Structure formats: C-alpha cells, structure tokens
Amino acid sequence: APEYRHRFELDLSREADRSMLQLLIERASWYSSSEKIVDPRIEGVAVDCVMNPRWRMPPKGRLALHYHVLRLSIEPEMLRGHVALDLELPWERVLASSLYHKIRRRELRRLSVVG
C-alpha cells in the first residue's frame, strides 16, 4: 500500500496543468520503484498509455489520476550534500515537514545534553 496518495484533476487546456502532468509522468518514470500514476482518465475514460513515451498529451480535456508514493520516509542521517524538494508537490511538503521536525528534535536533544 502506498504511504501517500494524491488525486489530481488537471485541465489540459491550462499550461500549468499540462506542466504538472509532464512533471508527474517524468517522476513516475525516474522513480518507477517508488512513485506511480494510477487510474488515469480523460473525461472519465480510462487511459492506459500515459506512461508510454509515444503518448501525446491532448490539447484539451479533463484528466484525473491518482499519484501514489510508495515510500515517503527519509531519515536525516541518510542525507548527504544538498537536498532539493519540489514544494509544489504535496508529498514533498509532507516530507519537508517531517525532515524539519526530525532534525529539530535531534538538535534539541543535542542542546539539552550539551547545556
């Protein structure tokens, strides 16, 4: 079962929604073991070819889909170097908040030992 699910309803005549769909397709391809597009539908009709590289996005129509993130947890110790999160994506906002609280708790524990 996915750790995080989000339903998108996109208007393909809007450039911002087209960009979001393109981002979701790219992410589902890059992170295929942990992120999935599920049950895409254009005007209520199932579309099974969204992840096919030859599929062309129609210029208009309403596309609904579920986006599943299978693993959402990251421990601060796992991070090396810089981390960039796309805060337009709701699950990355959840991840950013979780990381912030974990790092804050760790720092407060460290300060209580030192102080």
Side-chain angles (χ1 to χ4, degrees), residues 2 16 31 37-38 72 85 88 97 103:
Y31 304 112
I37 291 176
V38 178
L72 192 58
L85 297 173
E88 286 189 45
S97 177
I103 292 169

Side-chain angles (χ1 to χ4, degrees), residues 22-64:
Q22 188 60 44
L23 174 64
L24 295 174
I25 290 170
E26 288 171 5
R27 288 186 63 93
S29 178
W30 294 333
Y31 304 112
S32 61
S33 65
S34 62
E35 297 186 17
K36 307 278 182 210
I37 291 176
V38 178
D39 194 29
R41 295 177 175 272
I42 295 179
E43 304 295 346
V45 177
V47 179
D48 63 353
C49 57
V50 171
M51 293 303 297
N52 182 328
R54 286 184 266 165
W55 181 73
R56 295 293 169 245
M57 192 183 314
K60 61 184 180 178
R62 298 203 56 81
L63 182 127

Side-chain angles (χ1 to χ4, degrees), residues 3 12-13 18 32 69 86 88 93 96 105:
E3 282 191 46
L12 298 180
S13 67
R18 294 175 69 77
S32 61
V69 180
D86 185 343
E88 286 189 45
R93 288 192 302 269
R105 278 193 303 275

Side-chain angles (χ1 to χ4, degrees), residues 71-74 85 90-100:
R71 287 187 311 270
L72 192 58
S73 180
I74 292 181
L85 297 173
W91 59 92
E92 294 218 351
R93 288 192 302 269
V94 169
L95 188 58
S97 177
S98 172
L99 279 171
Y100 167 77

Side-chain angles (χ1 to χ4, degrees), residues 1-14:
E3 282 191 46
Y4 188 87
R5 300 169 199 211
H6 190 80
R7 179 172 169 81
F8 286 89
E9 295 205 16
L10 305 171
D11 178 348
L12 298 180
S13 67
R14 294 185 57 225

Side-chain angles (χ1 to χ4, degrees), residues 62-86:
R62 298 203 56 81
L63 182 127
L65 62 89
H66 295 272
Y67 200 85
H68 291 185
V69 180
L70 306 179
R71 287 187 311 270
L72 192 58
S73 180
I74 292 181
E75 295 302 318
E77 296 77 26
M78 295 169 53
L79 303 175
R80 299 286 179 255
H82 297 284
V83 175
L85 297 173
D86 185 343

